[in-house]
Amino acid sequence: MSDTTLPQHAQIDWDDQGRPHSRQYDDVYFAINEGIDETLHVFIEQNHLRQRYAELAPGGCLVIGETGFGTGMNFFCAWQLFAELAHAEARLHFVSVEKYPLSRDDLERAMRLWPQLAPFTRPLLDQYVAIHPGFQQLSLDGGRVTLTLMIGDALEQLPQLDARIDAWFLDGFAPAKNPDMWTPELFAQLARLSHPGTTLGTFTTTGWVRRALIEAGFAMKKVPGIGKKWEVMHGVYGGAPAAPAA
Ligand SMILES: C[S@@+](CC[C@H](N)C(=O)[O-])C[C@H]1O[C@@H](n2cnc3c(N)ncnc32)[C@H](O)[C@@H]1O
């Protein structure tokens, strides 16, 4: 009998340089060599986070939503920049959905790849216990940073979320390998949780993904990529598309 209180962990193979590869999806968690640079370019830059962090007023809060928490690298990079640029009384809320969370041992192993992020990875690891299906909220940096992890399939978890997301990181493996993370139903959830001006960054420029995001109300634009990715995309939510005239 399966125990519904335990998540199904990610099945990971490690290459000879210590990088994780998903056996479930036959895909890499992040690009070879360009991991952090790609995160900065695709998710931080396309969502203008440097400027938005710097402009946060005391007491202000920026809410980032992510599809695919994986090793948490995007979260650590977003937090590191927030710590560097945001007002001491501003807050960051990072909400991420993950179907197959890494086991604690695998997460620790992944974190060894980025010793420079240790001030951010260690506090998360300390709280990365009893990760279970459903929502869990981790409070970090004395409450200044909140991480909400939604453990389960994105299409089951996102409809239960009540939030107002300012910036999205779409990071659910390549659409060809994992089409479930790029469906119109999922994008309708992103739209529901967005407000006019909510931004989005993703590494994929696949045509049907782009068209489905536009259908959901995001104005999408291809921009120059990084490393092996020639182009990536950013988007801005324009509000719910007008209903067709009766
Ligand atoms: C490219 S990896 C994410 C990398 C991650 N952002 C990082 O910084 O390591 C994609 C993630 O999406 C998760 N995923 C794939 N399909 C999913 C689904 N239907 N619902 C929720 N998570 C899913 C995978 O388990 C994997 O951890």
PDB file of all heavy atoms in Angstrom, residues 7-13 20-29 98-103 106 173 177-179:
ATOM      1  N   PRO A   7       6.203  11.919  -0.277  1.00  0.00           N
ATOM      2  CA  PRO A   7       6.237  12.228  -1.701  1.00  0.00           C
ATOM      3  C   PRO A   7       7.069  11.187  -2.430  1.00  0.00           C
ATOM      4  O   PRO A   7       7.884  10.486  -1.820  1.00  0.00           O
ATOM      5  CB  PRO A   7       6.942  13.586  -1.730  1.00  0.00           C
ATOM      6  CG  PRO A   7       7.825  13.573  -0.532  1.00  0.00           C
ATOM      7  CD  PRO A   7       7.137  12.725   0.509  1.00  0.00           C
ATOM      8  N   GLN A   8       6.875  11.092  -3.722  1.00  0.00           N
ATOM      9  CA  GLN A   8       7.774  10.267  -4.530  1.00  0.00           C
ATOM     10  C   GLN A   8       8.970  11.133  -4.882  1.00  0.00           C
ATOM     11  O   GLN A   8       8.802  12.201  -5.484  1.00  0.00           O
ATOM     12  CB  GLN A   8       7.044   9.801  -5.784  1.00  0.00           C
ATOM     13  CG  GLN A   8       7.814   8.721  -6.491  1.00  0.00           C
ATOM     14  CD  GLN A   8       7.108   8.275  -7.763  1.00  0.00           C
ATOM     15  OE1 GLN A   8       5.934   8.520  -7.962  1.00  0.00           O
ATOM     16  NE2 GLN A   8       7.856   7.625  -8.634  1.00  0.00           N
ATOM     17  N   HIS A   9      10.142  10.712  -4.463  1.00  0.00           N
ATOM     18  CA  HIS A   9      11.321  11.553  -4.684  1.00  0.00           C
ATOM     19  C   HIS A   9      11.807  11.491  -6.130  1.00  0.00           C
ATOM     20  O   HIS A   9      11.512  10.551  -6.859  1.00  0.00           O
ATOM     21  CB  HIS A   9      12.452  11.140  -3.744  1.00  0.00           C
ATOM     22  CG  HIS A   9      12.223  11.601  -2.339  1.00  0.00           C
ATOM     23  ND1 HIS A   9      12.087  12.929  -2.013  1.00  0.00           N
ATOM     24  CD2 HIS A   9      12.093  10.924  -1.179  1.00  0.00           C
ATOM     25  CE1 HIS A   9      11.888  13.054  -0.716  1.00  0.00           C
ATOM     26  NE2 HIS A   9      11.880  11.841  -0.176  1.00  0.00           N
ATOM     27  N   ALA A  10      12.573  12.508  -6.501  1.00  0.00           N
ATOM     28  CA  ALA A  10      13.201  12.543  -7.812  1.00  0.00           C
ATOM     29  C   ALA A  10      14.203  11.394  -7.912  1.00  0.00           C
ATOM     30  O   ALA A  10      14.918  11.103  -6.952  1.00  0.00           O
ATOM     31  CB  ALA A  10      13.933  13.869  -7.994  1.00  0.00           C
ATOM     32  N   GLN A  11      14.225  10.744  -9.062  1.00  0.00           N
ATOM     33  CA  GLN A  11      15.243   9.716  -9.320  1.00  0.00           C
ATOM     34  C   GLN A  11      16.342  10.376 -10.133  1.00  0.00           C
ATOM     35  O   GLN A  11      16.109  10.804 -11.270  1.00  0.00           O
ATOM     36  CB  GLN A  11      14.630   8.552 -10.080  1.00  0.00           C
ATOM     37  CG  GLN A  11      13.641   7.772  -9.230  1.00  0.00           C
ATOM     38  CD  GLN A  11      12.863   6.782 -10.050  1.00  0.00           C
ATOM     39  OE1 GLN A  11      13.292   6.357 -11.116  1.00  0.00           O
ATOM     40  NE2 GLN A  11      11.695   6.419  -9.554  1.00  0.00           N
ATOM     41  N   ILE A  12      17.508  10.460  -9.521  1.00  0.00           N
ATOM     42  CA  ILE A  12      18.583  11.254 -10.120  1.00  0.00           C
ATOM     43  C   ILE A  12      19.800  10.407 -10.436  1.00  0.00           C
ATOM     44  O   ILE A  12      20.198   9.559  -9.640  1.00  0.00           O
ATOM     45  CB  ILE A  12      18.957  12.397  -9.143  1.00  0.00           C
ATOM     46  CG1 ILE A  12      17.778  13.352  -9.077  1.00  0.00           C
ATOM     47  CG2 ILE A  12      20.224  13.107  -9.568  1.00  0.00           C
ATOM     48  CD1 ILE A  12      18.047  14.629  -8.382  1.00  0.00           C
ATOM     49  N   ASP A  13      20.357  10.638 -11.606  1.00  0.00           N
ATOM     50  CA  ASP A  13      21.676  10.094 -11.943  1.00  0.00           C
ATOM     51  C   ASP A  13      22.639  11.275 -11.929  1.00  0.00           C
ATOM     52  O   ASP A  13      22.283  12.366 -12.394  1.00  0.00           O
ATOM     53  CB  ASP A  13      21.659   9.449 -13.330  1.00  0.00           C
ATOM     54  CG  ASP A  13      20.773   8.209 -13.355  1.00  0.00           C
ATOM     55  OD1 ASP A  13      20.894   7.387 -12.426  1.00  0.00           O
ATOM     56  OD2 ASP A  13      19.947   8.095 -14.278  1.00  0.00           O
ATOM     57  N   PRO A  20      23.206  16.826 -11.724  1.00  0.00           N
ATOM     58  CA  PRO A  20      22.044  15.932 -11.675  1.00  0.00           C
ATOM     59  C   PRO A  20      21.304  15.819 -13.009  1.00  0.00           C
ATOM     60  O   PRO A  20      21.146  16.791 -13.739  1.00  0.00           O
ATOM     61  CB  PRO A  20      21.145  16.591 -10.624  1.00  0.00           C
ATOM     62  CG  PRO A  20      21.517  18.043 -10.650  1.00  0.00           C
ATOM     63  CD  PRO A  20      22.944  18.132 -11.094  1.00  0.00           C
ATOM     64  N   HIS A  21      20.806  14.612 -13.274  1.00  0.00           N
ATOM     65  CA  HIS A  21      20.040  14.305 -14.486  1.00  0.00           C
ATOM     66  C   HIS A  21      18.822  13.504 -14.027  1.00  0.00           C
ATOM     67  O   HIS A  21      18.944  12.570 -13.236  1.00  0.00           O
ATOM     68  CB  HIS A  21      20.939  13.473 -15.420  1.00  0.00           C
ATOM     69  CG  HIS A  21      20.262  13.059 -16.686  1.00  0.00           C
ATOM     70  ND1 HIS A  21      19.403  11.982 -16.772  1.00  0.00           N
ATOM     71  CD2 HIS A  21      20.305  13.590 -17.932  1.00  0.00           C
ATOM     72  CE1 HIS A  21      18.959  11.865 -18.016  1.00  0.00           C
ATOM     73  NE2 HIS A  21      19.487  12.826 -18.734  1.00  0.00           N
ATOM     74  N   SER A  22      17.637  13.885 -14.498  1.00  0.00           N
ATOM     75  CA  SER A  22      16.408  13.213 -14.070  1.00  0.00           C
ATOM     76  C   SER A  22      16.193  11.932 -14.849  1.00  0.00           C
ATOM     77  O   SER A  22      16.119  11.955 -16.079  1.00  0.00           O
ATOM     78  CB  SER A  22      15.205  14.144 -14.289  1.00  0.00           C
ATOM     79  OG  SER A  22      14.014  13.388 -14.204  1.00  0.00           O
ATOM     80  N   ARG A  23      16.081  10.822 -14.101  1.00  0.00           N
ATOM     81  CA  ARG A  23      15.780   9.554 -14.765  1.00  0.00           C
ATOM     82  C   ARG A  23      14.309   9.533 -15.189  1.00  0.00           C
ATOM     83  O   ARG A  23      13.955   8.990 -16.217  1.00  0.00           O
ATOM     84  CB  ARG A  23      16.053   8.396 -13.793  1.00  0.00           C
ATOM     85  CG  ARG A  23      16.463   7.124 -14.469  1.00  0.00           C
ATOM     86  CD  ARG A  23      16.805   6.045 -13.450  1.00  0.00           C
ATOM     87  NE  ARG A  23      17.871   6.417 -12.545  1.00  0.00           N
ATOM     88  CZ  ARG A  23      17.988   5.940 -11.307  1.00  0.00           C
ATOM     89  NH1 ARG A  23      17.126   5.070 -10.832  1.00  0.00           N
ATOM     90  NH2 ARG A  23      18.993   6.312 -10.543  1.00  0.00           N
ATOM     91  N   GLN A  24      13.433  10.186 -14.368  1.00  0.00           N
ATOM     92  CA  GLN A  24      12.006  10.199 -14.711  1.00  0.00           C
ATOM     93  C   GLN A  24      11.740  10.901 -16.050  1.00  0.00           C
ATOM     94  O   GLN A  24      10.885  10.503 -16.818  1.00  0.00           O
ATOM     95  CB  GLN A  24      11.204  10.910 -13.610  1.00  0.00           C
ATOM     96  CG  GLN A  24      10.842  10.017 -12.439  1.00  0.00           C
ATOM     97  CD  GLN A  24      11.354  10.588 -11.115  1.00  0.00           C
ATOM     98  OE1 GLN A  24      12.348  11.315 -11.076  1.00  0.00           O
ATOM     99  NE2 GLN A  24      10.686  10.270 -10.029  1.00  0.00           N
ATOM    100  N   TYR A  25      12.479  11.985 -16.305  1.00  0.00           N
ATOM    101  CA  TYR A  25      12.188  12.802 -17.499  1.00  0.00           C
ATOM    102  C   TYR A  25      13.304  12.752 -18.541  1.00  0.00           C
ATOM    103  O   TYR A  25      13.195  13.404 -19.583  1.00  0.00           O
ATOM    104  CB  TYR A  25      11.940  14.259 -17.090  1.00  0.00           C
ATOM    105  CG  TYR A  25      10.691  14.415 -16.258  1.00  0.00           C
ATOM    106  CD1 TYR A  25      10.760  14.480 -14.872  1.00  0.00           C
ATOM    107  CD2 TYR A  25       9.434  14.467 -16.860  1.00  0.00           C
ATOM    108  CE1 TYR A  25       9.610  14.594 -14.098  1.00  0.00           C
ATOM    109  CE2 TYR A  25       8.284  14.595 -16.105  1.00  0.00           C
ATOM    110  CZ  TYR A  25       8.378  14.653 -14.722  1.00  0.00           C
ATOM    111  OH  TYR A  25       7.239  14.765 -13.967  1.00  0.00           O
ATOM    112  N   ASP A  26      14.393  12.034 -18.247  1.00  0.00           N
ATOM    113  CA  ASP A  26      15.534  11.973 -19.152  1.00  0.00           C
ATOM    114  C   ASP A  26      15.951  13.385 -19.586  1.00  0.00           C
ATOM    115  O   ASP A  26      16.044  13.683 -20.785  1.00  0.00           O
ATOM    116  CB  ASP A  26      15.192  11.105 -20.374  1.00  0.00           C
ATOM    117  CG  ASP A  26      16.407  10.950 -21.291  1.00  0.00           C
ATOM    118  OD1 ASP A  26      17.541  11.085 -20.795  1.00  0.00           O
ATOM    119  OD2 ASP A  26      16.215  10.739 -22.503  1.00  0.00           O
ATOM    120  N   ASP A  27      16.117  14.244 -18.616  1.00  0.00           N
ATOM    121  CA  ASP A  27      16.503  15.624 -18.935  1.00  0.00           C
ATOM    122  C   ASP A  27      17.368  16.164 -17.795  1.00  0.00           C
ATOM    123  O   ASP A  27      17.355  15.629 -16.685  1.00  0.00           O
ATOM    124  CB  ASP A  27      15.249  16.499 -19.114  1.00  0.00           C
ATOM    125  CG  ASP A  27      15.520  17.728 -19.978  1.00  0.00           C
ATOM    126  OD1 ASP A  27      16.694  17.965 -20.342  1.00  0.00           O
ATOM    127  OD2 ASP A  27      14.564  18.456 -20.282  1.00  0.00           O
ATOM    128  N   VAL A  28      18.090  17.238 -18.115  1.00  0.00           N
ATOM    129  CA  VAL A  28      18.988  17.827 -17.116  1.00  0.00           C
ATOM    130  C   VAL A  28      18.252  18.879 -16.293  1.00  0.00           C
ATOM    131  O   VAL A  28      17.328  19.524 -16.791  1.00  0.00           O
ATOM    132  CB  VAL A  28      20.225  18.472 -17.777  1.00  0.00           C
ATOM    133  CG1 VAL A  28      21.139  17.387 -18.329  1.00  0.00           C
ATOM    134  CG2 VAL A  28      19.822  19.455 -18.862  1.00  0.00           C
ATOM    135  N   TYR A  29      18.670  19.049 -15.048  1.00  0.00           N
ATOM    136  CA  TYR A  29      18.052  20.067 -14.185  1.00  0.00           C
ATOM    137  C   TYR A  29      18.479  21.470 -14.603  1.00  0.00           C
ATOM    138  O   TYR A  29      17.723  22.420 -14.465  1.00  0.00           O
ATOM    139  CB  TYR A  29      18.408  19.813 -12.707  1.00  0.00           C
ATOM    140  CG  TYR A  29      17.497  18.779 -12.088  1.00  0.00           C
ATOM    141  CD1 TYR A  29      17.677  17.420 -12.361  1.00  0.00           C
ATOM    142  CD2 TYR A  29      16.430  19.155 -11.285  1.00  0.00           C
ATOM    143  CE1 TYR A  29      16.816  16.473 -11.827  1.00  0.00           C
ATOM    144  CE2 TYR A  29      15.571  18.209 -10.747  1.00  0.00           C
ATOM    145  CZ  TYR A  29      15.772  16.880 -11.017  1.00  0.00           C
ATOM    146  OH  TYR A  29      14.905  15.943 -10.499  1.00  0.00           O
ATOM    147  N   GLU A  98       6.433  21.327  -7.162  1.00  0.00           N
ATOM    148  CA  GLU A  98       7.375  20.251  -7.503  1.00  0.00           C
ATOM    149  C   GLU A  98       6.714  18.894  -7.305  1.00  0.00           C
ATOM    150  O   GLU A  98       6.265  18.566  -6.213  1.00  0.00           O
ATOM    151  CB  GLU A  98       8.626  20.365  -6.630  1.00  0.00           C
ATOM    152  CG  GLU A  98       9.642  19.243  -6.837  1.00  0.00           C
ATOM    153  CD  GLU A  98      10.039  19.064  -8.298  1.00  0.00           C
ATOM    154  OE1 GLU A  98      10.565  20.015  -8.896  1.00  0.00           O
ATOM    155  OE2 GLU A  98       9.791  17.966  -8.852  1.00  0.00           O
ATOM    156  N   LYS A  99       6.674  18.126  -8.384  1.00  0.00           N
ATOM    157  CA  LYS A  99       6.052  16.794  -8.315  1.00  0.00           C
ATOM    158  C   LYS A  99       6.963  15.766  -7.645  1.00  0.00           C
ATOM    159  O   LYS A  99       6.511  14.919  -6.888  1.00  0.00           O
ATOM    160  CB  LYS A  99       5.712  16.340  -9.738  1.00  0.00           C
ATOM    161  CG  LYS A  99       4.917  15.073  -9.818  1.00  0.00           C
ATOM    162  CD  LYS A  99       4.445  14.863 -11.247  1.00  0.00           C
ATOM    163  CE  LYS A  99       3.544  13.649 -11.349  1.00  0.00           C
ATOM    164  NZ  LYS A  99       3.007  13.528 -12.708  1.00  0.00           N
ATOM    165  N   TYR A 100       8.247  15.842  -7.944  1.00  0.00           N
ATOM    166  CA  TYR A 100       9.208  14.865  -7.411  1.00  0.00           C
ATOM    167  C   TYR A 100      10.324  15.611  -6.658  1.00  0.00           C
ATOM    168  O   TYR A 100      11.383  15.907  -7.238  1.00  0.00           O
ATOM    169  CB  TYR A 100       9.828  14.051  -8.544  1.00  0.00           C
ATOM    170  CG  TYR A 100       8.830  13.252  -9.350  1.00  0.00           C
ATOM    171  CD1 TYR A 100       8.662  13.478 -10.714  1.00  0.00           C
ATOM    172  CD2 TYR A 100       8.053  12.267  -8.749  1.00  0.00           C
ATOM    173  CE1 TYR A 100       7.753  12.745 -11.463  1.00  0.00           C
ATOM    174  CE2 TYR A 100       7.137  11.528  -9.489  1.00  0.00           C
ATOM    175  CZ  TYR A 100       6.987  11.775 -10.842  1.00  0.00           C
ATOM    176  OH  TYR A 100       6.086  11.051 -11.579  1.00  0.00           O
ATOM    177  N   PRO A 101      10.096  15.934  -5.389  1.00  0.00           N
ATOM    178  CA  PRO A 101      11.147  16.661  -4.654  1.00  0.00           C
ATOM    179  C   PRO A 101      12.406  15.817  -4.523  1.00  0.00           C
ATOM    180  O   PRO A 101      12.324  14.587  -4.402  1.00  0.00           O
ATOM    181  CB  PRO A 101      10.500  16.904  -3.284  1.00  0.00           C
ATOM    182  CG  PRO A 101       9.444  15.861  -3.156  1.00  0.00           C
ATOM    183  CD  PRO A 101       8.944  15.593  -4.539  1.00  0.00           C
ATOM    184  N   LEU A 102      13.543  16.483  -4.527  1.00  0.00           N
ATOM    185  CA  LEU A 102      14.796  15.759  -4.299  1.00  0.00           C
ATOM    186  C   LEU A 102      14.795  15.218  -2.876  1.00  0.00           C
ATOM    187  O   LEU A 102      14.258  15.864  -1.960  1.00  0.00           O
ATOM    188  CB  LEU A 102      15.999  16.704  -4.473  1.00  0.00           C
ATOM    189  CG  LEU A 102      16.635  16.753  -5.872  1.00  0.00           C
ATOM    190  CD1 LEU A 102      15.666  17.399  -6.866  1.00  0.00           C
ATOM    191  CD2 LEU A 102      17.940  17.537  -5.837  1.00  0.00           C
ATOM    192  N   SER A 103      15.399  14.054  -2.690  1.00  0.00           N
ATOM    193  CA  SER A 103      15.619  13.581  -1.318  1.00  0.00           C
ATOM    194  C   SER A 103      16.599  14.558  -0.665  1.00  0.00           C
ATOM    195  O   SER A 103      17.302  15.312  -1.361  1.00  0.00           O
ATOM    196  CB  SER A 103      16.221  12.169  -1.335  1.00  0.00           C
ATOM    197  OG  SER A 103      17.550  12.248  -1.835  1.00  0.00           O
ATOM    198  N   ASP A 106      20.105  14.023  -1.896  1.00  0.00           N
ATOM    199  CA  ASP A 106      20.359  14.532  -3.252  1.00  0.00           C
ATOM    200  C   ASP A 106      20.418  16.058  -3.256  1.00  0.00           C
ATOM    201  O   ASP A 106      21.217  16.656  -3.986  1.00  0.00           O
ATOM    202  CB  ASP A 106      19.276  14.038  -4.223  1.00  0.00           C
ATOM    203  CG  ASP A 106      19.525  12.606  -4.679  1.00  0.00           C
ATOM    204  OD1 ASP A 106      20.687  12.167  -4.644  1.00  0.00           O
ATOM    205  OD2 ASP A 106      18.558  11.936  -5.074  1.00  0.00           O
ATOM    206  N   PHE A 173      11.354  21.337 -17.285  1.00  0.00           N
ATOM    207  CA  PHE A 173      12.001  20.473 -18.271  1.00  0.00           C
ATOM    208  C   PHE A 173      11.527  20.865 -19.678  1.00  0.00           C
ATOM    209  O   PHE A 173      10.570  21.607 -19.847  1.00  0.00           O
ATOM    210  CB  PHE A 173      11.738  18.979 -18.001  1.00  0.00           C
ATOM    211  CG  PHE A 173      12.505  18.423 -16.833  1.00  0.00           C
ATOM    212  CD1 PHE A 173      11.879  17.640 -15.871  1.00  0.00           C
ATOM    213  CD2 PHE A 173      13.855  18.667 -16.688  1.00  0.00           C
ATOM    214  CE1 PHE A 173      12.580  17.122 -14.788  1.00  0.00           C
ATOM    215  CE2 PHE A 173      14.562  18.150 -15.607  1.00  0.00           C
ATOM    216  CZ  PHE A 173      13.928  17.382 -14.662  1.00  0.00           C
ATOM    217  N   LYS A 177      10.007  16.847 -23.785  1.00  0.00           N
ATOM    218  CA  LYS A 177      10.188  15.732 -22.854  1.00  0.00           C
ATOM    219  C   LYS A 177       9.106  15.732 -21.775  1.00  0.00           C
ATOM    220  O   LYS A 177       8.847  14.698 -21.166  1.00  0.00           O
ATOM    221  CB  LYS A 177      11.552  15.833 -22.182  1.00  0.00           C
ATOM    222  CG  LYS A 177      12.676  15.781 -23.201  1.00  0.00           C
ATOM    223  CD  LYS A 177      13.937  15.206 -22.623  1.00  0.00           C
ATOM    224  CE  LYS A 177      14.954  15.027 -23.724  1.00  0.00           C
ATOM    225  NZ  LYS A 177      16.063  14.225 -23.370  1.00  0.00           N
ATOM    226  N   ASN A 178       8.504  16.884 -21.522  1.00  0.00           N
ATOM    227  CA  ASN A 178       7.527  16.973 -20.434  1.00  0.00           C
ATOM    228  C   ASN A 178       6.390  17.930 -20.806  1.00  0.00           C
ATOM    229  O   ASN A 178       6.236  18.992 -20.189  1.00  0.00           O
ATOM    230  CB  ASN A 178       8.232  17.450 -19.156  1.00  0.00           C
ATOM    231  CG  ASN A 178       7.340  17.334 -17.937  1.00  0.00           C
ATOM    232  OD1 ASN A 178       6.377  16.568 -17.940  1.00  0.00           O
ATOM    233  ND2 ASN A 178       7.639  18.106 -16.906  1.00  0.00           N
ATOM    234  N   PRO A 179       5.575  17.556 -21.813  1.00  0.00           N
ATOM    235  CA  PRO A 179       4.508  18.462 -22.263  1.00  0.00           C
ATOM    236  C   PRO A 179       3.513  18.810 -21.159  1.00  0.00           C
ATOM    237  O   PRO A 179       2.879  19.876 -21.225  1.00  0.00           O
ATOM    238  CB  PRO A 179       3.840  17.688 -23.413  1.00  0.00           C
ATOM    239  CG  PRO A 179       4.321  16.286 -23.307  1.00  0.00           C
ATOM    240  CD  PRO A 179       5.625  16.306 -22.593  1.00  0.00           C
TER     241      PRO A 179
END
